[in-house]
């Protein structure tokens, strides 16, 4: 379930790259959510982007939520990432019907749609979270995220995301990169970067040719040099727990909990992100109700 993130800077310190390999993480999401190929592609791209965006923050307790709301078959995708490389994700249509483009490739843009929103929530665990949003531009996810960075965070970026599947629909490769243009980047650097990106094969093509992440990063930064490399571990990992489910049940309030006890005599809570189910029988629910009834000391 592990993945890898490499970060680096150009030698002149004018552009930064985040490059991630998330193959096992996306394969694990595919199994957990029983995803169709197009849902695997869409969720895989989102997981990869969220993993990189989560690691951009220097604030230790921040949680980043990346949400895509489309109007076509895939209505919603949510990925939550922290600053330690842990990502969990959810898709409203795990079995979305496959759509193909003219080249016979899975058409994620058509499954998400061009109308909709991308929402990014940065929660620092205190006061109000930061919420940024922008409109979807293509539903292809990478372009939508690049547009989000430009519109909502005034951060010019190039984003590339790729998921390739084997014949039996397992994840062969998943990964992506985000290049950030830092303030006061020179025209020469921009021109070089643009020419590198224009001639760049897709990430899935790189994978098929057997290139590793550093080699890809070197191609993206050709003529600029790659410096200050750092490597981090990524994981597809859910942080749900019985304690959190108890808190969720208690937040329903005494009356609602009594109704559950009287009507169903039990409660079954399923985590959207990892499909773990938590069962509470009548006596366990009664304990929660007693806790609620206890006056605060
Ligand atoms: Zn969970």
């Amino acid at each position: 379930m592990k993945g890898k993130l490499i970060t680096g800077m150009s030698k002149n310190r004018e552009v930064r790259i985040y490059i991630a390999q998330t193959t096992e993480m996306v394969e694990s999401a595919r199994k957990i959510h029983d995803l169709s190929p197009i849902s695997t592609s869409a969720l895989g791209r989102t997981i990869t982007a969220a993993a990189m965006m989560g690691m951009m923050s220097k604030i230790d307790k921040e949680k980043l939520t990346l949400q895509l709301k489309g109007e076509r078959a895939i209505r919603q995708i949510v990925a939550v990432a922290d600053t330690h490389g842990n990502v969990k994700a959810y898709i409203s249509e795990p079995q979305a019907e496959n759509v193909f483009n003219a080249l016979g490739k899975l058409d994620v843009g058509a499954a998400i749609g061009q109308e909709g929103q991308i929402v990014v929530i940065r929660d620092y665990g205190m006061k109000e979270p930061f919420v940024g949003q922008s409109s979807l531009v293509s539903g292809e996810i990478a372009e939508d995220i690049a547009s989000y960075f430009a519109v909502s965070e005034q951060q010019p970026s190039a984003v590339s995301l790729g998921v390739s599947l084997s014949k039996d629909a397992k994840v062969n490769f998943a990964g992506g990169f985000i290049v950030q243009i830092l303030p006061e980047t020179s025209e020469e650097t921009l021109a070089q970067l643009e020419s590198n990106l224009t001639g760049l094969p897709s990430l899935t093509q790189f994978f098929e040719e057997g290139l590793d992440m550093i080699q890809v990063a070197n191609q993206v930064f050709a003529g600029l040099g790659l410096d200050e490399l750092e490597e981090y571990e990524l994981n597809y990992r859910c942080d749900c727990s019985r304690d959190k489910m108890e808190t969720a049940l208690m937040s329903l309030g005494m009356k609602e909990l009594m109704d559950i006890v009287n009507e169903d005599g039990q409660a079954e809570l399923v985590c959207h992100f990892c499909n773990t189910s938590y069962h509470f029988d009548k006596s366990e629910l009664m304990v929660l109700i007693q806790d609620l009834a206890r006056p605060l000391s």
Side-chain angles (χ1 to χ4, degrees):
M1 290 205 277
K2 285 190 188 349
K4 196 159 84 171
L5 171 77
I6 290 173
T7 64
M9 295 279 286
S10 63
K11 286 216 154 61
N12 63 11
R13 308 272 181 280
E14 292 183 348
V15 275
R16 180 183 285 132
I17 187 167
Y18 294 84
I19 184 161
Q21 186 268 93
T22 54
T23 310
E24 282 182 43
M25 297 161 71
V26 177
E27 172 63 8
S28 135
R30 183 188 73 80
K31 287 190 196 146
I32 288 169
H33 296 290
D34 186 22
L35 301 174
S36 68
I38 194 130
S39 295
T40 307
S41 275
L43 193 64
R45 291 181 193 183
T46 311
I47 286 170
T48 306
M52 291 188 280
M53 292 166 78
M55 295 290 277
M56 281 172 189
S57 174
K58 302 281 180 283
I59 301 170
D60 196 42
K61 278 196 179 147
E62 183 182 313
K63 260 201 187 324
L64 177 132
T65 303
L66 171 61
Q67 195 176 6
L68 289 135
K69 296 181 195 171
E71 289 182 345
R72 304 292 281 274
I74 297 176
R75 288 166 291 112
Q76 194 179 180
I77 305 179
V78 180
V80 182
D82 65 17
T83 54
H84 303 284
N86 299 309
V87 188
K88 58 180 182 178
Y90 159 83
I91 186 164
S92 61
E93 287 297 324
Q95 282 290 331
E97 205 171 315
N98 296 327
V99 197
F100 298 93
N101 63 19
L103 300 168
K105 302 227 176 208
L106 285 169
D107 194 342
V108 172
I112 291 178
Q114 295 172 1
E115 307 284 321
Q117 294 288 312
I118 171 167
V119 181
V120 175
I121 303 162
R122 295 182 196 275
D123 190 345
Y124 308 104
M126 49 179 179
K127 288 195 271 178
E128 290 290 292
F130 163 85
V131 182
Q133 66 173 36
S134 67
S135 298
L136 294 180
V137 288
S138 69
E140 289 286 337
I141 305 178
E143 286 174 56
D144 303 304
I145 289 171
S147 159
Y148 163 80
F149 274 125
V151 171
S152 191
E153 300 197 8
Q154 288 76 49
Q155 168 60 66
S157 312
V159 183
S160 175
L161 302 166
V163 175
S164 91
L165 304 177
S166 65
K167 283 209 174 68
D168 55 354
K170 291 191 177 124
V171 180
N172 251 345
F173 164 81
F177 66 74
I178 298 177
V179 176
Q180 291 181 327
I181 319 290
L182 302 180
E184 294 167 39
T185 300
S186 66
E187 288 298 323
E188 292 77 20
T189 300
L190 280 179
Q192 175 74 59
L193 186 65
E194 202 176 317
S195 124
N196 293 351
L197 290 171
T198 309
L200 207 68
S202 71
L203 282 172
T204 50
Q205 228 169 312
F206 274 132
F207 163 75
E208 278 151 21
E209 288 166 15
L211 266 69
D212 67 22
M213 294 155 68
I214 297 277
Q215 288 170 311
V216 176
N218 270 316
Q219 294 218 15
V220 177
F221 275 18
L224 298 171
L226 194 55
D227 212 0
E228 289 188 29
L229 290 175
E230 286 181 44
E231 192 179 313
Y232 304 90
E233 191 179 285
L234 302 174
N235 271 296
Y236 188 89
R237 184 182 286 156
C238 190
D239 56 354
C240 67
S241 65
R242 199 168 172 87
D243 275 358
K244 285 187 180 170
M245 292 298 173
E246 283 182 2
T247 308
L249 278 171
M250 287 172 79
S251 72
L252 295 174
M254 181 110 72
K255 185 184 174 301
E256 189 89 359
L257 276 179
M258 280 308 294
D259 287 349
I260 293 172
V261 169
N262 292 331
E263 284 162 28
D264 306 319
Q266 53 151 342
E268 186 91 19
L269 273 73
V270 179
C271 172
H272 277 323
F273 293 102
C274 67
N275 279 344
T276 301
S277 80
Y278 295 86
H279 183 264
F280 292 85
D281 64 23
K282 190 172 180 176
S283 63
E284 288 166 323
L285 290 173
M286 288 309 293
V287 170
L288 299 182
I289 290 171
Q290 279 159 16
D291 278 355
L292 278 173
R294 191 177 303 151
L296 294 170
S297 54

